[in-house]
Amino acid sequence: MRDLTGSGTGRLTIIGSSILIFFIILAAFAPYIAPYDPTEKVGLSLEPPSKQFWFGTDNLGRDILSRVIYGARIALSISFMGVAIAFAIGVPLGLISGYLGGWIDRILTLIMDAMYIFPGLVLAIAIAAVLGPGVVNISLSIAVVYAPTYFRIIRNQVASIKNELYVEAARALGAKNWEILIRYIFPNVLPSVVVVLSMNLADALMTEAGLSFLGLGIAPPTPDWGFDLSSGQRFVLSRAWWGIMFPGLAIVSAALGFSMFSEGINELLNPTIRERR
């Protein structure tokens, strides 16, 4: 097997996974890493970065570093939960639709296409406005946006391989439809799902930040990168640049980690892409 650790693919995967591990550690051990309580006033309003407050303080005197660290919990939990729900909805429906075809396929495809044509953020805003704030509600808003992606990919692949010889052989041996889907078809479409899943995590994180920026995310004073970015931008004219710089860097860094990881995984699972490079 070819060693990819020194290739561009290996570097992308390693750098991306390192960034993700870093943020996961921040989220898991936030109470032990954060120097202050992120919801309590610990200094003066809008103090610049210093030895005491590395990232400065916000307009309420709260430590921005502590809020960034705790904010990783909200960002990652909503991103993972939203994508997991989208996976749980889109994949089974795609398997059923692509395998059975007929009127079931037409109805499911019509519903998913109707959802897919909406701009993702607009659809998420509409759903979040109806459901209200909360980790579960925001996760559901994100799941509805990305479920059609899984459905379309799975449905198209299943429709193209359901008549392959190995599937016909399993059917001739008396295998039931659910056995064929789980044992023979799903393993062959799983690599594409893994790539889409990792890519959607970056999009989900940005969507969550966008909803929070618009005031449709987690209710304050819970630390949230998007909300803190929205709060900080009001004081940019007062030269309090640290209020938007550090939450913004956290969002960009985490999204970049997901993107680099998904790109590396995509090249590892698709050798033709790697060879063209």
Side-chain angles (χ1 to χ4, degrees), residues 60 74 92 105 112 216 220 235 266:
L60 298 178
I74 295 297
D105 178 44
M112 291 297 176
L216 297 172
F235 303 98
N266 188 28

Side-chain angles (χ1 to χ4, degrees), residues 184-263:
Y184 300 99
I185 294 180
F186 181 65
N188 287 280
V189 301
L190 185 59
S192 298
V193 176
V194 172
V195 174
V196 175
L197 189 148
S198 57
M199 293 175 64
N200 280 352
L201 285 170
D203 293 337
L205 189 143
M206 298 293 288
T207 301
E208 186 277 329
L211 292 175
S212 297
F213 185 87
L214 296 174
L216 297 172
I218 305 301
T222 304
D224 183 276
W225 293 342
F227 179 80
D228 287 351
L229 188 65
S230 176
S231 299
Q233 59 92 24
R234 294 180 297 168
F235 303 98
V236 172
L237 296 180
S238 302
R239 296 185 180 180
W241 50 267
W242 53 90
I244 63 171
M245 178 177 179
F246 297 111
L249 283 177
I251 295 171
V252 172
S253 299
L256 181 63
F258 280 122
S259 299
M260 295 179 70
F261 179 76
S262 64
E263 180 69 19

Side-chain angles (χ1 to χ4, degrees), residues 63-79:
D63 180 49
I64 294 179
L65 173 59
S66 299
R67 293 187 63 81
V68 168
I69 293 173
Y70 271 90
R73 286 185 161 186
I74 295 297
L76 295 183
S77 61
I78 290 179
S79 299

Side-chain angles (χ1 to χ4, degrees), residues 31-261:
Y32 307 100
I33 299 175
Y36 301 100
D37 186 327
T39 62
E40 297 293 332
K41 180 178 180 179
V42 293
L44 300 177
S45 175
L46 299 177
E47 285 195 50
S50 62
K51 291 182 179 180
Q52 183 179 3
F53 305 111
W54 290 4
F55 288 3
T57 62
D58 63 8
N59 60 303
L60 298 178
R62 298 173 299 192
D63 180 49
I64 294 179
L65 173 59
S66 299
R67 293 187 63 81
V68 168
I69 293 173
Y70 271 90
R73 286 185 161 186
I74 295 297
L76 295 183
S77 61
I78 290 179
S79 299
F80 281 114
M81 188 182 300
V83 171
I85 297 173
F87 179 92
I89 296 173
V91 171
L93 292 180
L95 287 170
I96 294 171
S97 180
Y99 185 76
L100 296 181
W103 65 270
I104 293 179
D105 178 44
R106 289 192 293 271
I107 292 176
L108 289 175
T109 301
L110 180 63
I111 294 173
M112 291 297 176
D113 285 348
M115 295 166 57
Y116 192 79
I117 62 175
F118 278 94
L121 184 58
V122 174
L123 182 59
I125 289 173
I127 298 172
V130 173
L131 296 179
V135 173
V136 176
N137 289 345
I138 301 303
S139 300
L140 288 173
S141 304
I142 293 173
V144 172
V145 172
Y146 296 111
T149 302
Y150 292 98
F151 173 84
R152 288 162 62 94
I153 292 175
I154 294 297
R155 183 260 176 196
N156 293 337
Q157 291 199 356
V158 171
S160 65
I161 68 175
K162 67 179 181 180
N163 294 321
E164 293 288 339
L165 290 177
Y166 65 90
V167 177
E168 293 289 349
R171 191 178 293 118
L173 292 173
K176 298 179 181 179
N177 287 336
W178 67 268
E179 291 178 323
I180 294 174
L181 284 173
I182 295 175
R183 296 182 59 185
Y184 300 99
I185 294 180
F186 181 65
N188 287 280
V189 301
L190 185 59
S192 298
V193 176
V194 172
V195 174
V196 175
L197 189 148
S198 57
M199 293 175 64
N200 280 352
L201 285 170
D203 293 337
L205 189 143
M206 298 293 288
T207 301
E208 186 277 329
L211 292 175
S212 297
F213 185 87
L214 296 174
L216 297 172
I218 305 301
T222 304
D224 183 276
W225 293 342
F227 179 80
D228 287 351
L229 188 65
S230 176
S231 299
Q233 59 92 24
R234 294 180 297 168
F235 303 98
V236 172
L237 296 180
S238 302
R239 296 185 180 180
W241 50 267
W242 53 90
I244 63 171
M245 178 177 179
F246 297 111
L249 283 177
I251 295 171
V252 172
S253 299
L256 181 63
F258 280 122
S259 299
M260 295 179 70
F261 179 76

Side-chain angles (χ1 to χ4, degrees), residues 8-21 256-257 260-261:
T9 300
R11 286 193 294 270
L12 279 177
T13 308
I14 292 172
I15 295 174
S17 59
S18 299
I19 295 174
L20 296 184
I21 291 172
L256 181 63
M260 295 179 70
F261 179 76

